[in-house]
Amino acid sequence: MTSNRREFLLKGTLASAAVLAAPSIIAQSVLSAQKAPGPMVLSTWDHGIAANAAAWKVLVANGRALDAVEQGVMVPEADPLVTSVGYGGMPDRDGYMSLDACIMDEFGNAGSVAALQEIMHPISVARKVMEKTPHVMLVGEGAQDFALKQGFKKENLLTENARKAWEEWKKANQYTPVKFDRNNHDTIGMLAIDAKGNISGACTTSGMAWKLHGRVGDSPIIGAGLFVDNEVGGACATGKGEAVIRIAGSAIVVELMRAGLTPQQACEEAVKRIIRKQPDYKEFQVGFLAMNKRGETGAYSLEAGFQYALCIAGKNNLLDAPHHH
Ligand code: GLY
């Protein structure tokens, strides 16, 4: 090979490597130049306050954001008074409690379960899917079999309160999906950043009350209900899952942050995208939360009434998200 040709090949290889690597090199150098902002945790709705408090215990003890988000969302999962997540949630139209959850860590690993029945902590099953299988998502009976093999116990998650509400709903037996609001909210989505500056997220729900049996919302879908890219930040969603899935909501928010938008601008742009593309947007609620590597946060919803909990330096506050209408 002539030296000219060798030089040309070498230059070509270096040039294409530089082009391919450029975005991640830029992101990494930007991020490594920044000091970690200090631990913080952000989650949806008022049930986020107790969840944040549990997550904070992990973060303040120098724990990993992944452990914090799992411990955090386990609180509403086990609380019978939270009627939209885990135990105490409302059943589907056939009376089955069917749970959806997902989790994502700082390495981009992800685990998810959908339409999981009779297991109190779907988020922990999702984490096992991430850590113990080569897969990302397990559903229905397969998810339950896996959970039982991992040592989880079968439990009746339908509380008396939820059973009565279902009996009442059956009298009219009208399939009108419930509109999520301040009094009737849904998912807990949570994002945390730990002392090392690593971000993880979790999302868990019993889904829309009176949904069709087998319906899966956005919450267990990586990129819809939750997305984390530790180079950039994380996002999670709440509200009508179908609307969020249709725009790959949380992935879009993270990609908009990667492109330079603040977390607040990214959440607003995702909501605007729903408005532009989904003409029935006045019929439902959707909200997004986002957090970037600098510890900046964003929150925005279609309608008034979306609240979220933010815990920084041990101060845990319930805040009203700005909204479109
Ligand atoms: N966002 C929860 C659901 O639609 O199931």
Side-chain angles (χ1 to χ4, degrees):
M1 197 187 287
T2 66
S3 68
N4 274 355
R5 173 148 168 77
R6 200 175 302 121
E7 206 174 306
F8 172 80
L9 283 176
L10 187 63
K11 276 191 186 148
T13 310
L14 288 177
S16 43
V19 168
L20 286 173
S24 69
I25 287 173
I26 291 166
Q28 276 162 18
S29 63
V30 168
L31 296 176
S32 58
Q34 287 162 4
K35 220 170 133 279
M40 56 192 286
V41 53
L42 176 66
S43 62
T44 55
W45 302 109
D46 54 357
H47 50 221
I49 288 286
N52 280 5
W56 183 254
K57 281 191 193 154
V58 177
L59 295 174
V60 85
N62 255 339
R64 194 175 161 201
L66 180 70
D67 294 318
V69 294
E70 182 188 8
Q71 292 295 318
V73 303
M74 283 172 78
V75 174
E77 278 186 342
D79 185 344
L81 299 179
V82 177
T83 57
S84 55
V85 180
Y87 178 49
M90 295 295 145
D92 65 24
R93 62 187 310 177
D94 297 327
Y96 297 108
M97 282 289 298
S98 158
L99 307 175
D100 299 337
C102 74
I103 195 160
M104 207 166 173
D105 74 6
E106 70 270 34
F107 303 111
N109 298 314
S112 160
V113 288
L116 174 65
Q117 293 183 28
E118 298 176 289
I119 304 288
M120 177 77 77
H121 289 298
I123 197 66
S124 302
V125 185
R127 182 167 175 174
K128 292 278 188 213
V129 174
M130 175 173 87
E131 291 179 341
K132 304 274 184 200
T133 81
H135 310 304
V136 167
M137 189 171 201
L138 295 179
V139 304
E141 270 178 40
Q144 195 192 56
D145 287 349
F146 170 76
L148 296 176
K149 285 194 184 100
Q150 290 295 320
F152 292 85
K153 299 270 169 297
K154 252 191 189 182
E155 291 176 80
N156 174 23
L157 303 180
L158 188 68
T159 57
E160 196 44 28
N161 176 39
R163 197 191 56 74
K164 278 189 188 146
W166 175 61
E167 296 289 355
E168 205 49 43
W169 172 81
K170 272 201 301 184
K171 285 182 191 158
N173 199 15
Q174 274 174 358
Y175 185 56
T176 43
V178 178
K179 192 166 177 173
F180 300 114
D181 61 24
R182 193 189 299 260
N183 301 313
N184 168 46
H185 40 66
D186 66 330
T187 320
I188 183 157
M190 178 178 275
L191 303 164
I193 186 160
D194 60 29
K196 289 186 179 152
N198 288 325
I199 297 179
S200 292
C203 191
T204 174
T205 186
S206 52
M208 200 178 270
W210 333 133
K211 61 194 173 186
L212 279 173
H213 185 57
R215 178 265 188 190
V216 171
D218 59 318
S219 302
I221 298 179
I222 297 294
L226 176 74
F227 195 67
V228 173
D229 183 331
N230 200 40
E231 287 183 349
V232 177
C236 60
T238 182
K240 187 182 170 197
E242 286 76 2
V244 176
I245 295 169
R246 286 168 64 191
I247 63 152
S250 294
I252 285 298
V253 172
V254 171
E255 289 313 302
L256 289 169
M257 291 194 290
R258 192 194 309 276
L261 270 63
T262 64
Q264 185 60 36
Q265 289 168 334
C267 290
E268 291 180 16
E269 182 52 36
V271 167
K272 284 182 194 148
R273 194 168 292 195
I274 290 177
I275 291 166
R276 283 200 302 276
K277 294 190 177 279
Q278 301 182 27
D280 60 341
Y281 70 88
K282 290 203 173 130
E283 306 300 318
F284 55 83
Q285 171 69 307
V286 164
F288 290 102
L289 295 180
M291 173 190 278
N292 69 11
K293 287 289 275 184
R294 287 185 215 106
E296 297 163 339
T297 61
Y300 197 68
S301 61
L302 265 173
E303 290 196 340
F306 173 39
Q307 294 185 302
Y308 65 101
L310 176 61
C311 182
I312 306 180
K315 291 200 173 57
N316 197 6
N317 289 309
L318 188 64
L319 303 164
D320 289 311
H323 52 91
H324 179 263
H325 58 266

